[in-house]
Amino acid sequence: MSASTARHRPSGMAFALASALAFGGSGVFARPLLDAGMDSLHVTWLRLAGAALILLPVAVRHWRVAQRKPLLVLAYGVFPMAGVQALYFAAIARIPVGIALLLEFLGPVLLLLWVRVVRRNRVSPAAVVGVVLAVAGLGLLLEVWAGMRLDAIGVGLALGAAAAQAAFFLLGDAMGEDTDPLAVIAFGALIATVLLGVLAQPWTLPWGLLADPLPLGALALPGWMIALWLGLVCTAIAYFTGVSAIKRLSPQVAGGVAYLEVVTAIVLAWVLLGEALTPVQILGAVVIVTGAFIAQTAVPSTPETAVAPATEQPAPNGDQPALERS
């Protein structure tokens, strides 16, 4: 971690908190559209198209970013934006919002496995304990002894969203200090909108629903207002603050704070949608969050010795921290 990055930890934590809160409401705000009969792909496309339209001026202004880093913006559009949103919304059409999000947040555990298996970096025993806890909590959440009471396809879709979420942290860390995160998000939204447009076929979208009042708990909001919130707050602002947090902290630390998104989503789903978990599932949720948090925070962030004087020599054992930026 550079000295300048280390000085940004307070602002990084603020960005991470804002991102968790913004992302946390996406499933709850998408539910009225889904319940009204809109297909999950249509809701996903609507959300991403709204964000792309809002961020279009940013993409025009920073068009050279796509020219300099085409693979980065393409991957960002495919995985963190199109992948996470499409898989998550498809999952919540089959299983409760809180459970889908808990499954998605196994992403940091997958990130840890990537660091160990693919990058072959050593991980601490605490990280292994965290993974075991997360898997055990998953068993409690799904109540596997009862033959899995949740829709198996919905569970699979949520786990796919977890893999795409792991890519979000990796790509956010790979942007570098010379890349405007908002520009990457703008191009990612544009790419995701085009890609999902092929599958969603937006001309078949029931546009009339956007003019109708839709129930959100005790409230009744116009469909267009819900779609606007999804595009602006739950996508554009959420991704920008999330990437800003990763650049100021590290993928591991930002991932830890992001678990507040799970709490936000579960509380909102309970208050507004009446989606309550059983006591055993609540225990499983706590174990998953605890285990995954331990797993990803156990990976050390880049040490402060990275800013040591040039006369100091690196440690003789040659160990490198996980996910260290070159």
Side-chain angles (χ1 to χ4, degrees), residues 12 39 44 47 78 80 111 116 121 126-127 132 138 150 158 178 183 190 202 205 251 265 281 287 293 298 302 310 318:
D39 184 78
T44 306
R47 174 184 180 180
V78 171
L111 175 64
R116 180 66 185 94
N121 287 343
V132 172
L138 180 60
L150 298 177
D178 62 333
L190 288 169
L205 193 150
Q281 287 177 318
V287 174
F293 182 83
T302 310

Side-chain angles (χ1 to χ4, degrees), residues 40-50 193-194 196-197 200 202 205 207:
S40 62
L41 266 180
H42 284 160
V43 176
T44 306
W45 182 87
L46 198 61
R47 174 184 180 180
L48 292 170
T193 300
V194 172
L196 287 181
L205 193 150
W207 293 98

Side-chain angles (χ1 to χ4, degrees), residues 21-41:
L21 295 175
F23 272 127
S26 62
V28 173
F29 276 86
R31 176 66 76 184
L33 295 171
L34 294 169
D35 289 345
M38 189 175 290
D39 184 78
S40 62
L41 266 180

Side-chain angles (χ1 to χ4, degrees), residues 208-297:
L209 285 177
L210 299 182
D212 296 337
L214 301 177
L216 182 64
L219 303 175
L221 301 177
W224 65 266
M225 186 178 294
I226 293 174
L228 178 62
W229 185 273
L230 283 172
L232 176 60
V233 177
C234 299
T235 307
I237 293 177
Y239 276 99
F240 171 69
T241 51
V243 172
S244 297
I246 293 169
K247 293 182 69 175
R248 286 164 173 78
L249 300 170
S250 71
Q252 306 95 289
V253 177
V257 181
Y259 276 96
L260 286 176
E261 179 185 338
V262 178
V263 179
T264 301
I266 289 177
V267 171
L268 288 176
W270 173 48
V271 172
L272 296 178
L273 304 179
E275 294 184 352
L277 303 181
T278 67
V280 173
Q281 287 177 318
I282 292 175
L283 175 61
V286 172
V287 174
I288 285 178
V289 173
T290 303
F293 182 83
I294 291 173
Q296 51 80 39
T297 54

